[in-house]
C-alpha cells in the first residue's frame, strides 16, 4: 500500500493499494477515447439519423454494445459529439474512462451495452455477496468485491483447454461464450508479468452451457472424465509404442492448475476498479476501508479488504461496534445480559 488518507475523524480511510487490476495497466495504454474539446462545428452530419430527435438517437445508442458504440463514435466528428453527449456515456467518460478502455483492450466490450455498464455502476452491491463491490468483472460486466473475485470460481476465467477438459464443450459451443483476451501487463498484488495474449472464457456461462448440453451436472462431469480417460489411454498407447521412450510426448492434464487466489494473475486480468454512481450524491464513491479492521486478515465481518460506501460504513459500525482507539468496541446487548 502506498498511501493512507484520513477522510473523517480517523474511523474510515482510503487505502491506496496497488492490486494491478486493469485500471493500473490502463495508465500505460493509449486507447483513443476522449471527450471533445474542439468547439468548431462538424463538417459532416449523420445522414438519415439527423431526422430523428437527439433523445431518440441517444436511446438507440445507449443500448448498443460498448464496442459498436465506440465504432459509431469514430465515424466522424458529429458522431463523436452525439456519442459523447449520451448522459450515461458522458458520466462514465468523465469519472471512469478506464472502464471503456479496459473493456476495449480485453475485447469484452461487445458483450454488454453502455446501459448495462451504467446500471451496474448505479448499483453498489457485489453480485455475489451483497457487500459493497469496488470492482467490475469486465468479461460479463458484474460488480464484485475483492474477497469474492479472489476466491470464487465465477471470477477465474478459463482457457479454451480448461473449458473442454472440465465442462465437456467443443469449439462450436465455445465460440458463443462470453470471453476476453488478456492484455499484456503485470497483474495481482505480486505484479506478475504476463506477456501472452490468451483467450479466457467466463466460467459461469461455460458451466451453464455444459449443463444445458449434457443434461445434468453429473452427466457433464461423467463425460469430461471419460474424455480424460480416453486421452490418457491414447497417451499410454503412444508411450508404449515409442522408440524414444516418449520424450516428445506430453501427458494430458487432468487436474486444475494451482489457483493461488489473490496472487493468481488470471483473477485480475478482467477486473477493474469501479465507482458507484449514487443518484443522491454529486460525485461517485470509490469505497472506503475501516480503520479498525485494518489489521484483520482472516474472515468477515472484520476484514481489511472489505470496502464500504459512506452509508454502508454506518451499517458496519452498527454490526461490529463503535470505533474507539482504532478498535471496534462491540455494543452490549442489555436484553441478553
Ligand atoms: Zn462479494
Ligand atoms: Zn471495521
Amino acid at each position: 500500500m502506498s498511501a493512507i488518507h484520513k477522510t473523517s475523524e480517523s474511523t474510515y480511510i482510503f487505502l491506496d493499494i496497488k492490486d494491478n487490476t486493469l485500471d493500473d495497466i490502463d495508465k500505460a495504454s493509449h486507447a483513443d477515447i476522449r471527450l471533445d474539446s474542439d468547439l468548431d462545428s462538424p463538417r459532416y452530419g449523420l445522414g438519415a439519423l439527423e431526422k430523428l430527435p437527439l433523445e431518440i438517437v441517444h436511446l438507440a445508442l445507449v443500448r448498443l454494445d460498448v464496442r459498436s458504440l465506440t465504432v459509431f463514435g469514430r465515424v466522424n466528428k458529429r458522431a463523436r459529439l452525439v456519442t459523447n453527449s449520451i448522459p450515461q456515456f458522458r458520466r462514465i467518460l468523465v469519472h471512469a474512462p478506464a472502464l471503456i478502455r479496459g473493456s476495449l483492450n480485453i475485447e469484452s466490450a461487445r458483450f454488454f451495452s453502455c446501459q448495462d455498464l451504467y446500471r451496474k455502476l448505479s448499483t453498489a452491491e457485489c453480485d455475489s455477496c451483497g457487500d459493497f463491490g469496488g470492482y467490475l468483472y469486465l468479461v460479463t460486466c458484474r460488480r464484485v468485491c475483492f474477497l469474492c473475485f479472489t476466491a470464487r470460481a465465477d471470477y477465474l476465467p478459463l482457457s479454451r483447454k480448461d473449458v473442454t477438459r472440465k465442462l465437456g464443450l467443443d469449439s462450436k459451443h465455445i465460440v458463443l461464450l462470453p470471453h476476453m483476451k488478456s492484455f499484456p501487463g503485470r497483474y495481482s498484488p505480486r505484479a506478475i508479468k504476463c506477456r501472452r495474449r490468451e483467450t479466457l472464457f467466463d466460467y459461469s456461462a461455460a458451466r451453464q452451457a455444459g449443463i444445458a448440453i449434457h443434461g445434468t451436472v453429473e452427466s457433464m462431469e461423467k463425460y469430461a472424465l471419460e474424455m480424460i480417460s480416453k486421452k490418457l489411454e491414447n497417451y499410454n498407447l503412444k508411450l508404449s509404442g515409442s522408440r524414444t521412450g516418449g520424450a516428445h510426448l506430453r501427458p494430458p492434464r487432468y487436474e486444475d492448475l494451482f489457483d493461488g487466489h489473490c496472487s493468481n494473475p488470471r483473477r485480475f486480468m478482467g477486473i477493474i476498479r469501479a465507482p458507484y454512481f449514487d443518484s443522491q450524491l454529486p460525485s461517485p464513491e470509490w469505497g472506503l476501508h475501516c480503520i479498525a479492521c485494518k489489521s484483520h486478515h482472516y474472515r468477515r465481518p472484520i476484514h481489511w479488504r472489505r470496502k464500504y460506501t459512506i452509508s454502508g460504513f454506518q451499517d458496519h459500525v452498527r454490526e461490529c461496534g463503535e470505533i474507539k482507539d482504532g478498535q471496534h468496541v462491540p455494543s452490549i446487548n442489555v436484553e441478553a445480559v
Side-chain angles (χ1 to χ4, degrees):
M1 89 193 56
S2 57
I4 297 178
H5 308 286
K6 290 184 182 179
T7 56
S8 170
E9 297 177 5
S10 301
T11 54
Y12 52 80
I13 53 179
F14 174 70
L15 294 177
D16 189 9
I17 305 166
K18 195 164 170 66
D19 283 328
N20 295 298
T21 47
L22 273 174
D23 43 308
D24 292 311
I25 308 297
D26 177 70
K27 286 162 195 156
S29 77
H30 304 283
D32 178 29
I33 299 288
R34 64 187 190 282
L35 284 171
D36 229 300
S37 55
D38 175 6
L39 298 175
D40 291 345
S41 301
R43 195 181 301 174
Y44 303 103
L46 294 178
L49 279 181
E50 295 288 1
K51 291 179 185 155
L52 296 170
L54 186 61
E55 293 74 22
I56 302 292
V57 177
H58 280 173
L59 278 177
L61 291 177
V62 83
R63 286 171 170 80
L64 274 184
D65 67 82
V66 170
R67 183 171 172 273
S68 303
L69 180 64
T70 54
V71 168
F72 174 81
R74 289 190 189 120
V75 167
N76 61 26
K77 185 175 175 183
R78 172 75 177 138
R80 189 163 73 242
L81 289 172
V82 168
T83 305
N84 289 353
S85 66
I86 302 167
Q88 297 94 325
F89 191 62
R90 189 171 183 84
R91 196 163 184 209
I92 297 169
L93 282 189
V94 168
H95 295 291
L99 294 175
I100 305 292
R101 287 194 290 259
S103 60
L104 292 171
N105 283 341
I106 66 167
E107 300 182 17
S108 66
R110 76 186 83 165
F111 299 116
F112 48 86
S113 67
C114 178
Q115 184 165 272
D116 296 332
L117 182 56
Y118 192 80
R119 280 186 182 150
K120 204 45 81 177
L121 294 173
S122 308
T123 312
E125 291 82 20
C126 165
D127 284 358
S128 293
C129 74
D131 259 12
F132 171 61
Y135 305 83
L136 290 190
Y137 168 70
L138 272 184
V139 186
T140 53
C141 196
R142 286 166 64 97
R143 192 179 268 283
V144 66
C145 72
F146 184 88
L147 295 180
C148 283
F149 85 73
T150 55
R152 296 177 67 99
D154 306 24
Y155 305 106
L156 178 57
L158 301 175
S159 69
R160 185 179 294 271
K161 277 185 180 169
D162 282 341
V163 174
T164 308
R165 178 180 63 83
K166 283 165 75 94
L167 308 168
L169 296 178
D170 61 29
S171 47
K172 71 174 183 293
H173 305 125
I174 286 174
V175 80
L176 302 170
L177 297 173
H179 56 271
M180 59 169 275
K181 212 161 197 183
S182 62
F183 195 71
R186 290 180 180 275
Y187 292 95
S188 88
R190 291 177 58 202
I192 296 170
K193 198 169 191 176
C194 304
R195 285 194 191 143
R196 201 160 63 91
R197 294 207 76 177
E198 192 181 8
T199 305
L200 299 170
F201 296 85
D202 177 56
Y203 171 80
S204 310
R207 188 167 190 275
Q208 282 196 348
I211 295 169
I213 286 156
H214 296 284
T216 62
V217 176
E218 292 73 27
S219 28
M220 176 179 77
E221 289 173 351
K222 190 165 165 254
Y223 177 86
L225 267 177
E226 283 168 4
M227 288 298 105
I228 290 169
S229 302
K230 271 188 193 165
K231 281 184 182 170
L232 262 175
E233 243 172 66
N234 283 341
Y235 169 75
N236 287 330
L237 264 177
K238 283 182 187 167
L239 201 62
S240 58
S242 168
R243 290 181 187 165
T244 59
H248 62 291
L249 296 172
R250 278 175 72 178
R253 190 158 60 79
Y254 50 87
E255 282 182 333
D256 290 342
L257 291 172
F258 173 69
D259 185 340
H261 300 286
C262 59
S263 61
N264 184 348
R266 202 180 269 182
R267 286 191 177 272
F268 292 77
M269 288 171 168
I271 294 286
I272 192 160
R273 283 196 312 134
Y276 164 50
F277 293 160
D278 185 333
S279 57
Q280 309 296 316
L281 297 173
S283 318
E285 289 195 73
W286 289 87
L288 300 153
H289 295 87
C290 171
I291 199 162
C293 291
K294 202 159 84 68
S295 56
H296 296 269
H297 290 224
Y298 299 105
R299 63 181 71 85
R300 304 187 216 208
I302 293 178
H303 194 292
W304 77 292
R305 289 306 306 244
R306 286 185 84 187
K307 268 185 172 180
Y308 305 93
T309 56
I310 290 173
S311 70
F313 184 71
Q314 309 308 328
D315 296 336
H316 172 61
V317 168
R318 266 191 291 278
E319 184 187 6
C320 296
E322 292 292 331
I323 297 167
K324 290 203 175 75
D325 301 327
Q327 301 286 328
H328 282 292
V329 180
S331 54
I332 298 164
N333 186 340
V334 178
E335 285 175 22
V337 173

